[in-house]
Amino acid sequence: MSWAAHELESYLLHKHTKVKVSFLAILIGCLSPDMLTKLPVYGIQLGGFVLQAQDNPWEYHRGWPGVGPTHSLMYAVVISLLVLWVFKSREWSLGLLIGTAAHVLTDIFDSVGTMVFFPFTDQQYTVSMWAYAAQAGRYGDAAAYYGSLGLVWDLFWLVLVLFSFKALRAQYFFHSVVTSDPAWGWFRRRLHMSDRVMLACYRAYFLYGACRIFAWTGWARFIEGAPMDWNWNGPHWVDKATVEPVPVGEFLSNTLVGLTGFIAASWIIWLVVGRRLWLNTPPHEAYGPGAGPETAPAGPAGGSEQALTVPRQPDPAP
C-alpha cells in the first residue's frame, strides 16, 4: 500500500485528464479502496473490545474471501456506475473511476499486490518493490514503508506534482477545478465558503500529503530507529506478507481470462445501462471564479440543474 502517494496522485490525474472531471471525486477514489478496510488490519480498540483481522490480515485486506475486491478494476466500474445513477453527475462518476483504478494499479507495487481482474480471476499482481507490513500495526507499517523503497515511491509522486506546480495555482483551481465540479458550488451556497477558503482547502491536501512523507520518515529514522533498506522488497527486518508465486503459464492464463472477462463485462455493462445513464445525464454547467451561491447546483447531483448567472466579485485569492 502507498501512504502519501494516494493523496498526491489526484492532482496529477486531474491535470492530465483531458475531459471535465471532478478533482474531489478523483481524490475520494484514490482513497476509497482503503476506507474502512484497512482499519481492521491495523486493529480497532474500543474499550475492552478489539476488532482485528486474525491469521493472515493481508488476505482480508487484499484477498478473497475478504474485502480484496475493493482493490479491483471492476469495483471501480461498479462504484462509478452507481454514482452516475444516483447523483446524475458525469464528472463525479468519471472521477471516481479514475481515482479508484489508480489506487488499484499503484498498490501492485508492494509485496502482496492486488486482485486487479477480480472476480474473473483471484490472481494477485505484485511488483514487490517494498514490503506489505500492515499486519505489524500502523506504526510498524509506517516504519517499514518509510524504511524502504516506499519512501522513494512517495518522493517520486511529490516531485511529479512539484513539476506540475501549475495544478496548485489559483488560476488553475478556479478555471479547471471549480468549473468541472458541482460540489464546489454546493460549498459556496450551503457552507458560504469564500474563494480564498476553497482554494486553501484544495491546496491543503497537497501539503498534508507532503508533510506526511517527511514527518513519518523522521519518526521512523530518529524516533523509532528503523534502519533504512534500499533493497527491492525491503526492508529485510520486517516480517513481510507475501503471496505464493505461480508458474508462468498459470499466471499468463489467469491474466488472459481476467483481462478478457473484465473487458467483456465492462462493455456489456456500458451497452446495457452505462450508455443510457451517461446520455441521460447532462454535463455540469461551468461557472467562473467568484460566482455567487445563486449559481451553485446542490451537490454532485447538481449536474442536472440549470445554473443561474448572478455573478459577484471574487474574493482575493493568493
Side-chain angles (χ1 to χ4, degrees), residues 45-131:
Q45 183 171 359
L46 298 173
F49 176 75
V50 178
L51 174 63
Q52 187 171 19
Q54 300 296 323
D55 299 328
N56 295 315
W58 77 263
E59 292 183 351
Y60 161 81
H61 185 211
R62 298 281 185 82
W64 178 257
V67 294
T70 60
H71 287 70
S72 68
L73 294 179
M74 187 52 64
Y75 171 79
V77 171
V78 171
I79 290 298
S80 65
L81 189 65
L82 287 174
V83 167
L84 183 63
W85 175 48
V86 175
F87 294 104
K88 303 296 188 293
S89 173
R90 290 184 178 186
E91 296 77 18
W92 270 73
S93 175
L94 185 57
L96 284 170
L97 177 65
I98 293 172
T100 307
H103 184 119
V104 172
L105 296 176
T106 54
D107 268 5
I108 70 173
F109 284 87
D110 65 34
S111 61
V112 167
T114 62
M115 297 187 299
V116 176
F117 297 122
F118 187 88
F120 310 103
T121 176
D122 60 1
Q123 173 69 52
Q124 300 281 149
Y125 293 87
T126 172
V127 178
S128 296
M129 184 175 175
W130 62 84

Side-chain angles (χ1 to χ4, degrees), residues 132-157:
Y132 179 103
Q135 68 280 358
R138 180 176 180 81
Y139 293 103
D141 190 18
Y145 184 82
Y146 287 108
S148 69
L149 292 178
L151 171 60
V152 176
W153 182 246
D154 277 3
L155 290 175
F156 168 75
W157 283 99

Side-chain angles (χ1 to χ4, degrees), residues 144-175:
Y145 184 82
Y146 287 108
S148 69
L149 292 178
L151 171 60
V152 176
W153 182 246
D154 277 3
L155 290 175
F156 168 75
W157 283 99
L158 177 60
V159 170
L160 287 181
V161 175
L162 292 176
F163 272 106
S164 302
F165 67 94
K166 290 183 179 180
L168 300 173
R169 296 179 61 180
Q171 182 180 10
Y172 179 84
F173 172 69
F174 288 115
H175 291 280

Side-chain angles (χ1 to χ4, degrees), residues 9 24 96 113 117 123 148 150 154 196 208 225 245 253 276 293 299 307:
E9 63 195 6
L24 293 174
L96 284 170
F117 297 122
Q123 173 69 52
S148 69
D154 277 3
R196 182 186 293 273
Y208 170 68
S253 175
R276 177 172 54 84

